Amino acid sequence: MTRTAARRPFHRSGLGVLTSLLAVGLLAAGCTSGVEDPVADPTAPSSASDAGGASGASDDGGDGTVVLAPSDGGGTGQATVEVSSDPYPVTPAPEGFEPPAACTGEGAYLTEEGSPSTPDLPERGGESLSIEAVSIDGEKAVLSATVDGGTRGIEPAAIGETVSIEDQWTISVTSVCGDTDQVEFDLID
């Protein structure tokens, strides 16, 4: 009998350990989806898991809403950012326009990769706009526009090309500096 009694506690604790490992495995499997680079394509909605990175994001089902949450595990809040999959279209420069060298250093507004434009653009219709340089591809700037928290990509734009944003602002690209990761533009409307 002592032999059987000695097996039961081992059997029960072994089953408990196995159950715990299975539960941890299932939880881990549910928390590790593929991580995508949210900056790779500024016009595409972003979705990423919080698998130990600096921040997590999840797409709620295709309507363009991305929920960003902190990865510190503290549950201290989250932000919702609207990201549209359709970029703002670029209007080509006027016919006969001869663009200067890409890095002119001219423009009333400046944005660097990963930083919003400065100075602040004027509010219109109770809404605010910020332009951000996402990347520079040769002589074209890849930009995004954020209007009151909703971010939308802009088609790649070169010097002399314009972009109309929400029928309230029109910007004209005046300088694209790949060496310094800076883009300058003017507000023309």
Side-chain angles (χ1 to χ4, degrees), residues 7-24:
R7 286 187 191 174
R8 282 190 187 177
F10 176 75
H11 176 70
R12 286 183 187 160
S13 67
L15 183 59
V17 169
L18 179 60
T19 304
S20 296
L21 287 175
L22 241 139
V24 169

Side-chain angles (χ1 to χ4, degrees), residues 107-109 119-124 129 131 162-165 168-174 184-189:
Y109 298 89
D120 291 340
L121 289 151
E123 287 190 11
R124 299 215 170 135
L129 168 67
I131 302 293
T162 60
V163 181
S164 178
I165 300 165
Q168 296 188 68
W169 300 270
T170 300
I171 64 168
S172 176
V173 177
T174 57
E184 292 181 63
F185 60 94
D186 286 329
L187 181 64
I188 58 174
D189 180 27

